[in-house]
Structures are given as C-alpha cells and as structure tokens.
Amino acid sequence: MMQRPFRPEDYSLKQTSPHLGGGGVAGDKLTSTYDLVEQMQYLYVRVVKAKDLPAKDITGSLDPYVEVKLGNYKGTTRHFEKKTNPEWNQVFAFSKDRIQASNLEVIVKDKDFVKDDFVGRITFDLSEIPKRVPPDSPLAPQWYRLENKNGDKIKGELMLAVWMGTQADEAFPNAWHSDAATVPSDGLANIRSKVYLTPKLWYVRVNVIEAQDLQPIDKGRFPEVFVKASLGNQALRTRISSIRGINPVWNEDLMFVAAEPFEEHLSISVEDRVGPNKEELLGKTIIPLQTVDRRLDYKPVLSRWYTIEKHVVITEGDKKKELKFSSRIHLRICLDGGYHVLDESTHYSSDFRPTAKQLWKPSIGVLELGILNAQGLLPMKTKDGKGTIDSYCIAKYGQKWVRTRTIIDSFAPKWNEQYTWEVYDPCTVLTIGVFDNCNLQGGEKSAGTRDSKIGKVRIRLSTLETDKVYTHAYPLLVLLPSGVKKMGEVQLAVRFTSSSLLNMMHMYLLPLLPKMHYLFPLSVTQLDNLRHQATQIVSMRLGRAEPPLRKEIVEYMLDVDSHMWSMRKSKANFSRIMGVLSGIIAVGKWFDQICNWRNPLTTVLIHVLFVILVLYPELILPTVFLYLFLIGVWYYRWRPRHPPHMDTRLSHADTAHPDELDEEFDTFPTSRPPDIVRMRYDRLRSVAGKIQTVVGDLATQGERLQSLLSWRDPRATALFVIFCLVAAIVLYVTPFRLVSFLAGIYLLRHPRFRHKMPSVPLNFFRRLPARTDSML
C-alpha cells in the first residue's frame, strides 16, 4: 500500500489550546515555574534506608535490596552485600495515567544466586497517599515496620516517604520512572533531563613580533624562518620572515579559541624551512594560558621576551652528550575578552555578548519555554520485530542547553518540562531539536551508536510579542536523500517577558556584536576557522558531560554544515533575492505604466504631485516618510500572528531533484563514483558559466563608466567633456526647479512623443569601450 503524500497544510504551523498549568484546579498550588506546561501527576516513593533487617542466609548474612511494585511496574534499588542497615536514598516515580493497581507494595529482598529471598514488605492504599506540590516543603520520611506475607509485624524497619506530586517536584529529574522500566541500570543516566552550560570561550591572540640569536645548524645559508603555534588540536603558522638572518621579524597575529578551564598549553616553536616539506626546529617554548594577560578593550597588553630552547644530542666517541641552545622570541599574547566567540551560525545566533562578563549589559527580559509533547512521530528503529522510538528534546539559547528526559517507546511522548533563560538581546534565536535516543543500553553496548535527528524548530525572539503565550504545534521536518519528510509535530509554549520596554527598544540602536568586532575586525576566513574550532571545543566539552550531549547532536543544533555547497540552497537563495527585488521591479512596472499613460487619470495626478514637489522641494522628504508611515499602518492589519517555522517551499525542499539532494548529502571530499562526480562537475561548470557571464556584463558596464573620462576612446571622451562643459554653463544660469520640471515632464511625456528606438544617452553609453578586448 502506497503512503499518502503529505498535503501542504501538513507542513504548516498549527495553533493549539493546551491545558496549561493544570487549569487552576482547586487545591493544586502549582507554582508559576510550571505554568507553561500541562500538569502531570506522579506517585513518588523515596526509599531512604533500613535498620535491624533479619538475616536470611545460612551464614547469617544479608544482601538487601528494595523492590517497589505497583501493578505491572516494578523498580528495584541497588543491593548491598552483607549489610543489615543499608542506605539507598533512591526515588521512584510512577505516572498516574498508567496506574491500574489500588495498592503499592514496597518489598525488601535478599539477593541470592538461585532465587532472591523475601525479607518483608510494606503495603500502601493509594487512596490514603498524601498530595504534595511545591512550594510545600518535602515530605519527611518515616520508619515503617516490615510485615510478612500474612500481614504480621516482623523484625526490621524501612524508612520511606510516599506522596502524590507533579513534574514540578524537585525529586522528578533524578527519579527512576516507571515508563523506563526496560532500561538497564547503566543506561538510566542517558534518559534523565539535564541542564548544560557551555564552556566560556576566549579568543587567544598571539602577536609574533621578532626573534633574536637563532642558531641554525647550517651556518652557510640564509635561514627561512617561520613560527608555528599550536593550542590543543589547533595549529597555525606565520609567513616566512622577509629578513633572512638570525634576527627575523614577523609582526603577525595568530588567533586561537580556548575554553575555561584552560586544559591545554600554548606551544610556540621557531622553525627553519631547509627544503621542500622539510623543517628544522630552532627552538620551542610552552606557555600556560593561566599566565596570559586578559584584555577587555583595544589597548595593547605588554609584550614579553620568552626563552626558546632546543636540545641536541651529539656523540663524542662512545659517549653521548646533550647540548642546549637558547634563543629569544618577542611575543604579545592576550586573551581577548572584548569579542564574542562565534560558535554558531550568525543567522541563528542566540547570543552576542562579549566573553568578559564585565562588559555585559543588563538583561532585558526572560524567555520561558514549555516543551509539552509530540504527536505522530514515526518509528526510528526496530525492537522485538516492531517499530519504536525513544524521543527527547534539546533546547539551546545562549550558554544554556537543556535536555528533557527520554520517553521510552512512545509515538506521542509527553514531556511537559519548562525552562527559563535570561535575554540580553531580542534579535536572537531559540533552537529546539527532537532526537531519538539510541544509547539506552549504556556502557560498551551502545558505543559507536548515534542518536537520530527527528527535526528542529527555530524561534526568533524579535518576532514574538512581549508577555504573550504562544502555543503551537510545529512540524518536525527532516531533509533526507529521498526528499523532505515530516517526522511528526512538537507542541511548544513560548513566552517572552520584557523587564523594560525602553531598554529593549534601545537595543535596536546598538551594534549587533561587541565593539571590538568593528574596531579590530577579524577577516571572514579567520571567523570561519575560529567558528569551526569553537564548535569542536563545545562539542567535546558537552560530550564529556553526564549524560553526554553527543557530537552529532551538538553539530546539528549549531548548524555546523550550513556553509556546504547545495544546489537546492542556491536556488532558494536566488528566489529570495528575486523576492526582495520584486518590489523594486513592481515599482518600475508601475512607473512604466505611468509614463505610457495606461491610466490617464493616475498619470495626471502624478503630474500634479510632481509639479507641487518641484515648486516646494522641502515637501519631498516629509512626503516620502509619510507615505512609508501610511504603508506600515496599513500593513498592521495583516501582521503575522504566529512565529515563523520551517518553510519547505521557501527552502525548495519539496521540489528538489533527487540527484541534487544526493549531492547535498555527499561527504566532503566526495565518495561518489567518478561518472556521477563528472556529471555534477559539468553541471556546476554550466551554472558557473552563466554566473561568469553575468559578472562579466556587470564589469563591462562599470568599465564603460570609467572610460567616459579615461580617453580610451578619444572621440567619446571629447564629446562627453564638451557635454559636461555645456551642461555646467546651462545649469549655472538656469534655475534648478526649472531644470527638474523640464526633466520630469520629458520623462512623463505622452506615448505619442515617444519612440521605440533607444535613447541618445543609451546609444552613446553602449558604444563606449570596455576591457573585454584585452581578455584572453
């Protein structure tokens, strides 16, 4: 049976009406911290410790653990060997929606090789369990006497706390959840919700000034000296010094990215290129970043001389002797805190603050995100012969990344988790991604497995009205080699609250990036390389957290591959340019209709308006701004009511050719067969040839403008110079208003006085020479 193709509305944004905050039901004192999500009820069981447990083995020892049983759900604590007074302090959470039993059993058992022995149990009636919702204080645990299977009291006590609560409970994030009962204990860490903070990133500027007293081995040649600097896996080198001697000079900047806490040291080595692909080390030094000066503005830090050393082992007879050669290198090294280290695409950036906290401006508001649920998710893997999915969400804004808990085996997972960020700039983007957890086994069983991406949502804060809750179901779209595919929908609630409207409006007048980006700008190549290094560092640090944010997740959230070539993106960008120019083209067509008197009444009115503006030129600018004001007020009626979302039509994702998508998903360098690469290369040459022609035509027009006064065509330049002299004399003696009036009337003249032949100025311009004659 063929799958039904998605209708266009399947890709659209859908407004929803979730039951946020529990709906204010009497007795539910749900805090405002969780007012953007739906209330979820849980039965919590905290197993604290036990005392005076009876021995069960022949040896008189006991290996106790606790089993919490509710209907078909069963959770167990870890066991202790030979201990009658164990402490667990572990919390179990059972979703109220899935509770079918009427009694809760807490059973103490003795771990055994053959069969675990029953020690004692405690039974609770669910209707008698108290309810607790923050900000109530945590429920104090109590000692309960164990009972045997007949209900008689026996030796041993267990300290427990049992209560009904919501996901707002502080015990919720680290609790064992009943819906994760199938996950092994070493995989539990991979399903919990967590908040991550990305490391503080610095630009390290190494200004290589000069070196002195270098000692090359070959004294009979002029050394070709350069400096190589490395920090972690980043390595850069200067050009070869123009001064060929033992005291070379460079005065060149090398830029690196470093993250706090500083784990790697800066390595500086001076090398001599003695042949092709052959360098000789002249000296090396190691500089800890902890000793490097930090600067917050453009003022240079003090330069320092560093000793560089080289150890050489020489053989004298049967003995080996180590010689140490010392030279000096002059460096100015600093940690540049006045820049913002770009670790994400500038189009989707969530933060523009400089590294140095002293330069931060006050926050302008708070962003709150409620991750409610997902609907219609597709199976991502197979388990026990059936399709399944274990989904979780990642949200990223600024330095704070959040991860929801993983919902096991559900195509309509409910997270209902709420997070908050401080906002420092309204022109930033919140990114939410949904993933399938493929690392539930934990340990070595899941080594090498990658979490699969389900889709991504971006929300630009500047498109949101303040103090308004937006509740929408966003389509989760993924571009695959087979085409665009809808993986489901994720339901979010977003609210942007401004602490000061005046401060937020003031932000629109300030530069987007810190001032160091404008006073001492970095080149585009430098920014690209530094961004790549920054994403590698962030990916590595987040991958070392527990649970880890894996490399494929971080790179997907940071749009690492957004700069790669794509025919689809090129077509989409060209369409965007044409969309921008369509307004100008429409105005040009309208003006052409005015000039050709298609609508005589409109043309007459334009004549009248033109005459008024010529007689009263001081009205021109006020008229223009008033017209723009009226257009803005008119369009207010049709202002967007919803945040933007992924647009398949704008992205050309729904019309892309399969071969174009295959090319987009190709590795770099390519892994496709030679005949396919040859075909794509020929296609790229064809497209590039058209672009080359357009660029050449633009260059030709510019060179014709230059040739007006260059005397490349002496007759044309003579005619233009004489025309300029006559025009200057006429304009000196003729009032400007009269000239403007005559020029406008001529431009708006009736078609009866027009000719289809090109005008004289255009004929003259097209005859001017360009440098195309000199092209090979």
Side-chain angles (χ1 to χ4, degrees), residues 430-669:
L430 167 70
T431 305
I432 303 104
V434 184
F435 300 88
D436 175 39
N437 197 333
C438 298
N439 293 274
L440 299 181
Q441 298 303 317
E444 297 180 357
K445 293 182 180 178
S446 60
T449 57
R450 295 165 59 91
D451 288 354
S452 305
K453 57 189 179 185
I454 299 175
K456 182 163 54 180
V457 175
R458 298 191 196 99
I459 302 175
R460 184 170 292 274
L461 269 61
S462 58
T463 63
L464 304 178
E465 298 179 21
T466 53
D467 301 316
K468 179 180 177 181
V469 178
Y470 290 85
T471 54
H472 293 91
Y474 293 80
L476 294 171
L477 305 176
V478 171
L479 191 65
L480 303 172
S482 57
V484 67
K485 187 175 184 180
K486 182 178 178 181
M487 309 297 290
E489 294 176 343
V490 61
Q491 187 174 348
L492 306 173
V494 184
R495 178 171 58 205
F496 174 38
T497 307
S498 172
S499 55
S500 171
L501 182 61
L502 193 63
N503 286 345
M504 186 167 65
M505 293 300 186
H506 178 62
M507 289 299 299
Y508 281 87
L509 308 178
L510 300 178
L512 196 63
L513 293 168
K515 63 181 181 181
M516 283 293 286
H517 285 268
Y518 306 99
L519 298 177
F520 293 94
L522 303 173
S523 67
V524 175
T525 305
Q526 273 183 315
L527 286 174
D528 284 344
N529 293 334
L530 291 171
R531 184 199 164 207
H532 173 71
Q533 297 299 335
T535 55
Q536 293 293 105
I537 292 173
V538 170
S539 175
M540 181 185 68
R541 290 289 179 93
L542 292 180
R544 283 158 45 181
E546 187 64 38
L549 280 184
R550 302 180 185 278
K551 183 179 180 182
E552 65 270 15
I553 299 169
V554 177
E555 290 184 349
Y556 181 63
M557 296 293 288
L558 292 177
D559 292 283
V560 168
D561 57 351
S562 60
H563 64 286
M564 297 297 289
W565 159 258
S566 164
M567 180 69 78
R568 174 188 62 83
K569 289 182 182 178
S570 300
K571 290 180 178 179
N573 289 333
F574 180 77
S575 298
R576 290 170 59 201
I577 291 175
M578 295 308 297
V580 171
L581 296 178
S582 62
I584 301 173
I585 295 171
V587 171
K589 290 180 178 178
W590 172 80
F591 187 73
D592 183 66
Q593 292 176 355
I594 295 297
C595 294
N596 287 291
W597 291 70
R598 299 283 175 83
N599 189 336
L601 180 60
T602 305
T603 304
V604 169
L605 290 175
I606 293 297
H607 276 78
V608 173
L609 177 63
F610 173 72
V611 171
I612 294 173
L613 294 178
V614 168
L615 295 177
Y616 303 99
E618 63 274 9
L619 295 178
I620 294 176
L621 286 178
T623 302
V624 170
F625 285 111
L626 179 63
Y627 181 65
L628 294 176
F629 167 78
L630 293 175
I631 291 176
V633 172
W634 179 257
Y635 280 164
Y636 182 76
R637 299 167 57 190
W638 295 284
R639 68 189 185 280
R641 306 282 180 165
H642 312 300
H645 64 287
M646 300 293 183
D647 191 334
T648 55
R649 183 168 297 178
L650 176 70
S651 309
H652 281 228
D654 51 353
T655 58
H657 191 273
D659 184 66
E660 294 174 359
L661 292 175
D662 183 69
E663 180 182 23
E664 185 171 341
F665 283 91
D666 191 8
T667 57
F668 189 87

Side-chain angles (χ1 to χ4, degrees), residues 373-377 389 391 407 410-414:
N373 56 61
Q375 297 290 334
L377 297 184
I389 185 172
S391 56
I407 305 297
S410 175
F411 299 108
K414 293 182 179 181

